[in-house]
Amino acid sequence: MAQTRILPPADNAYQYPLLIKQLLLSGPRYSPDQEIVYANRSKYTYTDLVERIHRLANALTDAGVKPGDTVAVMDWDTPRYLECFFAVPMIGAVLHTINVRLSPDQIVYTMNHAEDDVVLVHDDFLPILESVKGEIKTVKTYIQLTDEASAKPAQLATAGEYEAMLASAKTEFDFPDFDENSIATTFYTTGTTGNPKGVYFSHRQLVLHTMAMTGSLSVHDEMPLLRSSSVYMPVTPMFHVHAWGVPYAATMMGIKQVYPGRYEPELLVDLLKEHKVTFSHCVPTIMQMMMGTESIKTADLSNWHVLIGGSALTKGLCDAGAKLGIHMYTAYGMSETCPLLSATHLTPEDMELPLEQQTAKRVKTGIAAPMVELEIVDPDGKPVPHDGEAKGEVVARAPWLTQSYFKEKEKGEELWQGGWLHTGDVASMEPDHTLVIKDRIKDVIKTGGEWLSSLDLENLISQHPAVAGAAVVGVPDEKWGERPHALVTLKPGEEASLEDIQNHLKQFVDSGEINKWAIPEQMDFVEDIPKTSVGKINKKLIRDQLK
Amino acid sequence: MAQTRILPPADNAYQYPLLIKQLLLSGPRYSPDQEIVYANRSKYTYTDLVERIHRLANALTDAGVKPGDTVAVMDWDTPRYLECFFAVPMIGAVLHTINVRLSPDQIVYTMNHAEDDVVLVHDDFLPILESVKGEIKTVKTYIQLTDEASAKPAQLATAGEYEAMLASAKTEFDFPDFDENSIATTFYTTGTTGNPKGVYFSHRQLVLHTMAMTGSLSVHDEMPLLRSSSVYMPVTPMFHVHAWGVPYAATMMGIKQVYPGRYEPELLVDLLKEHKVTFSHCVPTIMQMMMGTESIKTADLSNWHVLIGGSALTKGLCDAGAKLGIHMYTAYGMSETCPLLSATHLTPEDMELPLEQQTAKRVKTGIAAPMVELEIVDPDGKPVPHDGEAKGEVVARAPWLTQSYFKEKEKGEELWQGGWLHTGDVASMEPDHTLVIKDRIKDVIKTGGEWLSSLDLENLISQHPAVAGAAVVGVPDEKWGERPHALVTLKPGEEASLEDIQNHLKQFVDSGEINKWAIPEQMDFVEDIPKTSVGKINKKLIRDQLK
């Protein structure tokens, strides 16, 4: 280590630890009367938010929560959840955001693995817990959440209902200072194999993620996402990577926030219209559902900017959105990365391009965010050229990456190799620093000694006018090692055959985008493509079903 | 300390230290071809900037600079200086930005006190060093900077000329990781009493300051300072609190930067016009000089946003600027605070107000920046009410405050009391969290048991149409303890008497803004008001002269 100069502080000097409580300082100062909306149910101000966070801290403490405890939440996307984002870590406890879309068995697995002490549970999810009641090992206290006048009668003994507890709690809590490396949040990744794995983020990591996100979503005039006049509505769930961390950034800056509760497409579109939402983040599936509603046809969406993540933004979806006025961009990250790694970056010159060429840029994985280092490496960990052609595994460094998997030392050591987090994604890097994800390493189709990107193929298939969606996996083949097999869903009332799709793909062979051997001989036309609990194509399941 | 949960990282996990080298990652990725301009002399791209920083690191290392060494710079505001902002700390050395406006004796004092090892000195400042040559104790190496074809012949033995050294240096430097608490920069505050005091900032502090600044200068639509389409030109010197830290923020985001070299008003206005500068920071004196030029009359300044600091932005200056189209805002901070503490915050409603009422808000000290805690306290350190009336000393916490004064333990302990940095400023806090600085504690006029703000009085006097500037100090008075004494400068060709000014002030007595006893009986009409080396009114000197 270099012998740099480090000086001792004066007596009494405050050595500022980075803590989540500091993210709550500026928003309420800038915009005390700014609104936080809960669907079509209720709204309150930033001043109210601060008071409710103090009340919640008192209520939790009264219920026995201590620093170091784990407090789990099972809720829809609500301002209550936002309150938990702050109050739980601010008292020194760990917030476990439970993925309510997992199976009851997986949910109880994550609760036991995280060693949850307290669970805040919405009426709607109470039956899940009641069904696995005997298997829950560490929970001492349940607190009920409800959207009705009073909570549902529960079989589980509960300490009370959230609103009632807040109402009787004191309005001021003296939030302590502590080590900035204290764990603030944890949640479980939903891999397609094995048990869910716990990732976790410290106060320091979340503060740095929030600060970098605020800058990078605010500064670009070509992508004005987080501005004081923005209206933010999350459309990826709050249990999943803290809704990409945007609620922290929006709160820090005092921006209007709209929480939709349940993800019902008609409701979401109504909220977009009513509150003139300007900024969301979303996965392609939900975006497609929203775009399929009747009510979207009468919405003015020309000021709606949407980061698309989770799965790749396809050209088809981006173009269809643009026809409705929606500005879509790609964001890249994963549970392990808090999540922000990179996002679309448009230059002023890009904005002057015809839409079709803009789309080509918007669907790319984008440019690394501030403070992030991205590299693409070969199996030996050596960087491959940034020529837009060479493929390598994406590895990352940033101040906010999970430092391991909770209680899974070996898996943590697979994740971190040589001081880089290995994403499991395969990408090329263009000379202008734009990352283009090609596939998951395990989904790449190895055919005839070449790597074929299942993602590229899905993209091209979905450009056929009759196609609604596509999934491509590699299936074993005696001659070629693997061959691509496609599942295709068609738009309502549309028809297409294997030959139609193959003919459609031939144009991309002619234009040099793919090789002839990339065209699948095997294709199933299906009603639905299997998805994981977070809406990604479940290729593991598809491969299993095709066996 | 609360018993929170802290988990060990996986083997090989990278624990990201916050280092200045990371501020250089994103700008060149976002905008490789963006320009960095040196007045009307030269320009280059962000890609060039990165290469030049690598070359400079090699050149310095070749000249013997090691981690922990101190490298001082005496230069005008140039892209060279920006290169030093990065390269010197990035190799683990400390950058000492010498205040070239100090007297030669003070300069050599700061050089010896900081223990400078290497000095980069511009031709124009060589005579200063040569005049005190025998007193310089620690410098081993001098490097010359020039704007001519070759450097001036020097009496001091020099290691070479900057451009020549860069030209022959290698293009790649492997910047090391080290402790984020390593000191990155140091410089000396210019108090009116005693020797200059050294403040210092660590890599961690500068990274956090940059990240918070980027968010807070980007996000507000009512104050759009730092945006990707901005053109930034500093108009406070780079030796003074790293030009308020904005060069780091602008570089992180890949924004066009224009460095003016010398602060010649006509040159500054020409650069504003030529490069369509949108964002600057400035002290009132220089702004007044720019506004006094002929060429400004033909400039379109309607897109020029200026943070005013150093001294208070007066209503007179703000209004006069607005007539030229200039958007002025107040920024508050000091050498000890890196400097950002607070800035004007306008709401959308404010923007709809008549200009005069906007001015009233723009001249206030503003709202604390993200991550900053500001409080106003009585002499016992207890907070006083936030009612816009009660006055107290401003105390601060933020992640980027100097932790002491270099080698001045006792002064550091005066600065830090009870875990708060004491600014020495007296202010009130309005219920909407707006800070309003009233005075320096030592400049407050204690008359008849009341505190009278010298700053308020200067403001009101300067609203008289004939007045160009005013300074008010307290002078001893047998009956009242102290009485205000004003120095007044008049605009060219204008006249005013003591009675005229007193009559002008009476309207503010009638409107309740000041008490009758605030009107000074003593007033001198002078050619110039004494200023310090950084352009602040030198009240110490005025008081001494009046004795």
Side-chain angles (χ1 to χ4, degrees), chain A residues 1-18 22 25-26 28-30 67-68 70 92 114 177-183 200 204 207-208 211-212 214-216 218-222 226-229 253 255 345 367-373 397-399 403-404 406 409 412-413 416 418-419 432-433, chain B residues 1-18 22 25-26 28-30 67-68 70 92 94 114 177-183 200 204 207-208 211-212 214-216 218-222 226-229 253 345 367-373 397-399 403-404 406 409 412-413 416 418-419 432-433:
Chain A
M1 189 72 91
Q3 285 299 307
T4 55
R5 182 179 292 188
I6 299 175
L7 296 172
D11 288 353
N12 273 324
Y14 183 67
Q15 290 166 75
Y16 198 105
L18 300 176
Q22 296 140 4
L25 290 171
S26 49
R29 285 192 302 230
Y30 283 138
T70 299
D177 276 6
F178 42 75
D179 190 321
E180 67 184 21
N181 296 307
S182 300
I183 305 305
Y200 49 88
R204 172 185 162 110
V207 167
L208 293 172
M211 291 175 84
T214 306
S216 63
S218 300
V219 77
H220 302 296
D221 284 305
E222 299 74 26
L226 206 63
R227 298 276 173 91
S228 57
S229 58
M253 287 310 183
I255 286 160
H345 179 68
I367 289 188
M371 312 298 288
V372 174
E373 290 176 78
R397 285 177 167 181
Q403 294 283 292
S404 186
F406 186 45
K409 194 168 182 297
E413 285 163 14
W416 281 100
D432 75 351
H433 312 289
Chain B
M1 190 72 89
Q3 286 299 308
T4 54
R5 181 179 293 188
I6 299 175
L7 295 173
D11 287 353
N12 272 325
Y14 182 67
Q15 290 168 75
Y16 198 105
L18 300 176
Q22 295 139 4
L25 291 172
S26 49
R29 284 191 303 230
Y30 284 137
T70 299
V94 179
D177 275 6
F178 41 76
D179 189 320
E180 67 185 20
N181 296 306
S182 301
I183 305 304
Y200 49 88
R204 171 185 163 111
V207 167
L208 293 171
M211 291 175 84
T214 306
S216 64
S218 300
V219 77
H220 302 296
D221 283 305
E222 299 74 24
L226 207 63
R227 299 274 173 91
S228 57
S229 59
M253 288 310 183
H345 179 68
I367 289 188
M371 312 296 289
V372 174
E373 290 177 77
R397 284 178 169 180
Q403 293 285 292
S404 186
F406 186 46
K409 194 168 183 295
E413 284 164 12
W416 282 100
D432 74 351
H433 312 290

Side-chain angles (χ1 to χ4, degrees), chain A residues 384-460:
Chain A
V384 305
H386 294 189
D387 58 8
E389 295 288 333
K391 293 193 188 85
E393 183 179 6
V394 181
V395 297
R397 285 177 167 181
W400 46 75
L401 311 183
T402 190
Q403 294 283 292
S404 186
Y405 293 110
F406 186 45
K407 300 193 288 193
E408 308 252 26
K409 194 168 182 297
E410 282 181 23
K411 287 179 186 160
E413 285 163 14
E414 277 171 41
L415 182 69
W416 281 100
Q417 293 168 39
W420 291 86
L421 184 142
H422 283 243
T423 64
D425 286 323
V426 172
S428 64
M429 183 83 82
E430 302 188 343
D432 75 351
H433 312 289
T434 300
L435 188 76
V436 184
I437 299 283
K438 296 293 181 180
D439 218 333
R440 294 291 294 166
I441 278 194
K442 61 181 192 300
D443 293 334
V444 164
I445 299 153
K446 288 103 183 167
T447 184
E450 297 282 338
W451 280 15
L452 174 61
S453 160
S454 63
L455 221 66
D456 281 353
L457 210 46
E458 286 160 11
N459 238 319
L460 297 178

Side-chain angles (χ1 to χ4, degrees), chain B residues 276-291:
Chain B
K276 299 186 172 59
V277 171
T278 67
F279 172 38
S280 296
H281 40 83
C282 191
V283 293
T285 321
I286 305 281
M287 178 57 92
Q288 249 154 353
M289 287 164 61
M290 292 175 75
M291 284 166 55

Side-chain angles (χ1 to χ4, degrees), chain B residues 229-233 256 258 269-279 300-301 303-304:
Chain B
S229 59
S230 296
V231 179
Y232 163 63
M233 180 172 80
K256 178 169 175 177
V258 179
V269 174
D270 286 349
L271 292 171
L272 283 185
K273 287 180 176 177
E274 182 182 345
H275 294 286
K276 299 186 172 59
V277 171
T278 67
F279 172 38
D300 174 8
L301 301 174
N303 202 23
W304 192 34

